[in-house]
Amino acid sequence: MNSSTLRQLWSVIEDTQTSILLEDNDTELVQQLLRQLETQKILSSEEISVISAYISSRLPLIRDLALLRRGYI
């Protein structure tokens, strides 16, 4: 994944409602973030696979950041 895509992904995460980040199950959240990213950028199947794995590996961080937004940490 190139740096531009990575920046776009984290921008999508920042723009996503906190309730979605905290309440969707892991699979739904990964799919939701991918769909939002795909509205900004055309992704190949290889990129989708890499980004999906990346998001999955960062879910605890994503949820912790969402909790920070809500003021729970």
Side-chain angles (χ1 to χ4, degrees):
M1 171 175 17
N2 64 40
S3 61
S4 173
T5 302
L6 189 58
R7 279 192 299 276
Q8 282 182 302
L9 172 60
W10 280 101
S11 178
V12 164
I13 292 166
E14 286 293 319
D15 292 343
T16 300
Q17 292 179 2
T18 304
S19 60
I20 292 171
L21 297 174
L22 294 173
E23 296 168 11
D24 281 3
N25 69 43
D26 291 354
T27 303
E28 290 171 348
L29 182 54
V30 170
Q31 291 304 311
Q32 171 77 5
L33 295 172
L34 277 172
R35 278 193 302 273
Q36 289 181 48
L37 184 60
E38 286 181 306
T39 64
Q40 299 177 12
K41 178 180 177 116
I42 297 172
L43 302 171
S44 69
S45 58
E46 182 180 326
E47 286 174 312
I48 290 170
S49 178
V50 168
I51 294 167
S52 179
Y54 177 83
I55 294 170
S56 294
S57 73
R58 298 302 190 272
L59 284 175
L61 174 61
I62 291 167
R63 293 188 195 281
D64 283 350
L65 290 171
L67 285 171
L68 278 172
R69 277 197 235 169
R70 279 207 175 158
Y72 291 145
I73 296 180

